[in-house]
Amino acid sequence: MHTYESGLKEEMQHQSELSMTINGVPKSRTVKPWVSLLDYLREYLDLTGTKKGCDHGQCGACTVICDGKRILSCLTLAVMKEGSEITTIEGIAKDGELHPLQQAFIDHDAFQCGYCTPGQICSAIGMIAEGKAKTRSEVKELMSGNLCRCGANTNIIDAIMDVQKGAGNE
Amino acid sequence: MPPMEQQKLSGRPLVGQAISRLEGYEKVTGAARYSGEFNVKDLLYGYVINSTITKGKIISIDTSKAEAIPGVITVFHHGNRPSLAWFSMQYADMDAPPGTPFRPLQNGEVKYNGQPIALLVADSFETARYAATLVKVVYTTEEFQTDLIGNMAKARAPKGGLATFLKPPPPKPFGDFEKAFEAAPFKATGKFIHGTEHHNPMELFTTTTVYNGKGKLTIYDKTQGTVNCQLYVANVFGLHFKDVRVISPYVGGAFGSGLRPQHQLFFSVMAALELKRNVRVTLDRHQMFTFGHRPPTVQFTRFGATVDGKVTALNHEAIAETSRFEDYTEVVVNWAHMLYPAQNTLFKYNLVPLDVFSPLDMRAPGGSTGLHAIESTMDELAYQLKIDPLELRLINYAERDESTDRPYSSKELRKCYLQGAEQFGWNKRSPEPRSMRNGHKLVGYGMATGIWEAMQLPARAAASITTEGKLKVNSAVTDIGTGTLTVMSQIAADEMGLPLEDVSFTYGDSKMAFAPIQGGSFTISSVGSAVKAACNALKKKILKKAKTMDNSPFKSHKIDEVVFADRKMISIANPSVFISYSDIIAANDHKVIKSVNFAMPKALKLKKYSRAAHSASFVEVEVDEELGTINVTRAVTAVAAGKIINPKTAKSQILGGMVWSISKALREETISDHRFGKYMNMNIAEYHIPVHADIHDLDVIFVEEQDDIVNELGTKGVGEIGLAAMPSAIANAIYHATGKRINQFPIHFDQLL
Ligand code: FES
Ligand code: FES
């Protein structure tokens, strides 16, 4: 008899070949369909810069940039992103040189424990690219999917506004 | 080392400079690895299974379906667990309250809802998580009680015990409170209700145990005390202390939740030892609600004052929740008499044991609870007296701590009041409630006072001059995001006269010099003093070595006749006489010079003083008149906390405390359904904390405060004081805006409609 459980058991044996470009480097390996993009990065590729705060799309710690857009990697199955370009926090600095936002985070002390930080930075880069947020209150609103339990909120927004201003002047 | 930002490293002294976090690069690039991010070879994944009943017994656990899943290794439960230490004291940790610590898998008894009752181990996280759902547990249930409000009549005095030395019982009564209160022409009373809160650090609790063979373990754990966890693991599993190494390089927030070893540590170690494999156990967000929490507390206050505002009678009583197995206590009712010198006092603190897990210190434990009651009662008194609330604080300013009849080692609270009020623009407040508005929003100003004890615990530090003439310092202490690495480096660099880049401070490893748990705002005073002591001892060794050199110009020098600056030891009398650290090391046959030292609080001297950090918060709220929605539009917190080693990281601590204040007063609460004895919002979508859009203008002032008594460094710590005053100031501002006195936290819009 084909039950839900036996079907699932079969499904669990299933592996697919997955290829994507991560931080500019092509990566392929076989992975089961039930692996989230977040766990794929952290547990399978050892890219642990992307953080898991809830695994339920509630905190933003797992934000990565996928084909230019910010997404929550915990709500994404890895196999959904076949062929995609993913940028994680490990790929934001170029040749050891920090992205202006990373530098602004350090200058403004925009983190304490640092656990929400990769998500905040990736999310802010994605948000700036969206081009919707102009004012401080718009930035606050559009960054509100990224929680910070340490309470670094004002410093985080200061850091983003600094870089946003620079970007606007270009 | 990757390129760090250019800091002004040459400026002296470094202590007092706003230096950016030294681990900043690692944190903004994702290079910082937290305890669940050490991907060692052949790692197994454990998933905890929690009880779905609140009280009763496990009759059977059927693991057959789960174990049939490919990749599942085993399921541990009380029926098949390895034999463990049987004596409950072996489960006690440095922060264990009086009672019997919870022992995971001890037997089939269920003591609280969500109790960990089994661990499923598999070769992947996904398999473990799925197979755990296939384990069938049958229980018999028993009656339970989880409701504090419904069981207040059962309140009793807490048991005493060793661990309560940091948490003194309520002070003895003075005078005759009842009589004085009766006679007081002005009175204010209140009943204050606080719910359960969970720490919810952003990082989930994780332990990665590396099995090194022969009972030797390397454990990456999320904790606030590496040595505390080392001790716990060695005791519970009967291992040699030296064979257990606990490492916490980065900690993704803790706020008290890591003060005690949590059960993922127990499970990860148990599975690693039994399976002789490397095992990681991570709790999910739901499971982050299955251990310690801030206890719900009900408080009663009665304050009496004379016509000119002198407080004559103070009564503060609290009833708090604890578990059935431990008497967790907080310092809730001891603060009023430290702040206000009344002649007649009465303080009580009692507990109600319920079928919940033991509460656990959470940022500003007790203080943030008690001060809300005290400072909102003072506010009420001010309105009754028609005296400005700030003026009332000044009328009752305590020059000494009347509760213990001791002077303060230092107290610049008056400066906090005055500078905070000035910065905030308190003088623009119109006294009547509901008298200020901004369009359809009611505007309110509120203020409150904060206090937190300045403590110091014994700690060690090791310091050495390396063969390159640089300084290495280490301590087992963690850095939970407070800036420990940066401030310890600053202290050490100044002591030895070195630029910051010549100093390396390593930490977060139980193999290093002993440090107590990191909490209570005592880390800088405890470990910082040890760093200073180790550097001082190192200086003596350097001088001693210099004296042994041929034709040494230092032969007749005493330690106070030399200074240590510019990478050298220099004669004060003749600055052209000096020796560099590298030359000293060369003279020492190129061997490092090392010193490990203890710093202890000077108990006899300290006994004569009360020691505390103080603060004053000023808050503006806007309340929508029709919808009742509350917005904290701006706030200023002025802090007197002794010497501030690093104004940048210290300011972040206070800002964090201010965000927590908004959270406490307006957002966060774990909600129970007492019919099921169960928390109902065990996730961070329903457990609300402020988001960026909720946080507006926050300002921090550090007032000058010199303290030569409190410890060698003159520091008082800043981790808690930011959360001491502001929750009450928010409640007081809401009263000023709306004329409604809401004494239940969190305050929601519907209470204002
Ligand atoms: S881990 Fe993805 S949103 Fe929290
Ligand atoms: S820095 Fe700790 S959670 Fe944001």
Side-chain angles (χ1 to χ4, degrees), chain A residues 110-117 120 147-153 156, chain B residues 27 34 200-203 251-253 255 480-481:
Chain A
F111 49 85
Q112 292 166 39
C113 78
Y115 202 77
C116 72
T117 312
Q120 304 278 0
L147 301 179
C148 175
R149 182 55 155 167
C150 291
N153 307 72
I156 292 170
Chain B
K27 283 182 174 170
Y34 297 74
N200 277 308
M202 222 59 238
E203 182 198 15
V251 180
F255 316 110
I480 52 175

Side-chain angles (χ1 to χ4, degrees), chain A residues 15 50 56 69-70 83 90 120 136 142 146:
Chain A
Q15 301 248 14
T50 307
H56 281 74
K69 291 203 173 69
R70 50 177 174 161
E90 289 95 339
Q120 304 278 0
R136 189 177 174 96
L142 291 174
N146 289 83

Side-chain angles (χ1 to χ4, degrees), chain A residues 36-117:
Chain A
S36 71
L37 177 59
L38 174 58
D39 289 324
Y40 183 60
L41 293 169
R42 285 170 62 84
E43 308 291 335
Y44 294 75
L45 300 181
D46 197 30
L47 288 168
T48 56
T50 307
K51 304 302 183 201
K52 183 188 280 191
C54 69
D55 225 4
H56 281 74
Q58 301 172 341
C59 74
C62 64
T63 309
V64 297
I65 301 167
C66 174
D67 300 323
K69 291 203 173 69
R70 50 177 174 161
I71 64 163
L72 297 177
S73 61
C74 73
L75 291 188
T76 309
L77 294 172
V79 292
M80 290 159 64
K81 294 300 168 192
E82 167 69 33
S84 286
E85 293 248 357
I86 310 273
T87 306
T88 69
I89 190 69
E90 289 95 339
I92 303 289
K94 291 276 178 284
D95 307 317
E97 189 159 329
L98 292 180
H99 184 283
L101 194 60
Q102 291 174 312
Q103 188 59 52
F105 263 62
I106 296 177
D107 296 343
H108 286 276
D109 206 30
F111 49 85
Q112 292 166 39
C113 78
Y115 202 77
C116 72
T117 312

